[in-house]
């Protein structure tokens, strides 16, 4: 039905992004709700640091939104689905490998971990209620979302209507 209507590409990109926001929030809140329900069923609700777990969910939602926005940008810029999938997978796997190297490298400089979005996601530090630069992490991830969505809309406007 979407392609049956006269819809501009930029409006389609906006619609996909607006759908992506609640999906990312649900993906972030899922583990939190599972932790709450599981600990309540076991009678250990007081032992779970719910505030820390909620912050983990917020950060997970931001990471999910970042990757969704990146996928949106890659799909707008690519010629076909295969190329979009390959480019997105290569970028994601590359960032994952950088994160793995930063964790395995004993004396790795801080910038190595911060070279990709996984360096701005620290659920273990949040769950242990350690000092985590949550504001900086969210700023970087949501800033990346804004850049990806802005570039996707700009790229979609440069192309002709769908």
């Amino acid at each position: 039905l979407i392609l049956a209507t006269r819809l501009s590409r930029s409006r389609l990109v906006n619609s996909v992004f607006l759908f992506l926001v609640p999906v990312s929030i649900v993906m972030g809140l899922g583990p939190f709700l599972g932790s709450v329900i599981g600990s309540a069923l076991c009678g250990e609700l007081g032992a779970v640091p719910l505030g820390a777990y909620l912050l983990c969910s917020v950060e997970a939602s931001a990471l999910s939104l970042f990757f969704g926005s990146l996928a949106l940008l890659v799909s707008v810029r690519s010629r076909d689905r295969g190329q979009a999938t390959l480019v997105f997978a290569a970028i994601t796997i590359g960032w994952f490998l950088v994160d793995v190297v930063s964790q395995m490298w004993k004396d790795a400089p801080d910038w190595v971990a911060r070279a990709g979005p996984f360096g701005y996601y620290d659920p273990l530090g949040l769950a242990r209620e350690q000092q985590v630069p949550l504001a900086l992490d969210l700023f970087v991830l949501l800033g990346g979302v804004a850049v990806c969505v802005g570039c996707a809309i700009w790229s979609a406007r440069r192309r002709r209507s769908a």
Side-chain angles (χ1 to χ4, degrees):
L1 288 175
I2 290 176
L3 296 178
T5 62
R6 191 95 177 119
L7 188 64
S8 69
R9 286 186 182 273
S10 60
R11 197 150 185 198
L12 182 61
V13 169
N14 287 337
S15 298
V16 170
F17 176 71
L18 290 176
F19 177 75
L20 181 64
V21 172
V23 168
S24 295
I25 291 170
V26 168
M27 287 180 67
L29 286 177
F32 171 74
L33 294 175
S35 299
V36 170
I37 292 169
S39 59
L41 289 174
C42 294
E44 296 293 328
L45 190 58
V48 177
L50 294 179
Y53 279 24
L54 185 60
L55 291 177
C56 290
S57 293
V58 169
E59 203 171 39
S61 294
L63 185 68
S64 173
L65 190 60
F66 173 80
F67 276 109
S69 300
L70 178 65
L72 182 64
L73 173 61
V74 169
S75 70
V76 168
R77 299 288 302 165
S78 298
R79 287 175 282 151
D80 59 26
R81 288 180 294 199
Q83 181 188 25
T85 302
L86 183 64
V87 169
F88 179 74
I91 292 170
T92 303
I93 291 169
W95 276 334
F96 178 74
L97 290 175
V98 167
D99 186 58
V100 168
V101 166
S102 73
Q103 291 179 22
M104 293 179 70
W105 185 3
K106 184 178 176 184
D107 299 321
D110 189 44
W111 65 266
V112 175
R114 300 286 185 168
F118 293 111
Y120 297 94
Y121 177 65
D122 185 14
L124 187 58
L126 287 170
R128 290 181 177 170
E129 297 177 316
Q130 296 173 343
Q131 288 294 96
V132 175
L134 183 64
L136 173 67
D137 293 350
L138 291 176
F139 178 77
V140 170
L141 291 172
L142 295 178
V145 168
V147 168
C148 287
V149 171
C151 289
I153 292 171
W154 179 77
S155 296
R157 285 186 180 155
R158 292 193 50 166
R159 299 175 79 169
R160 56 187 161 85
S161 297

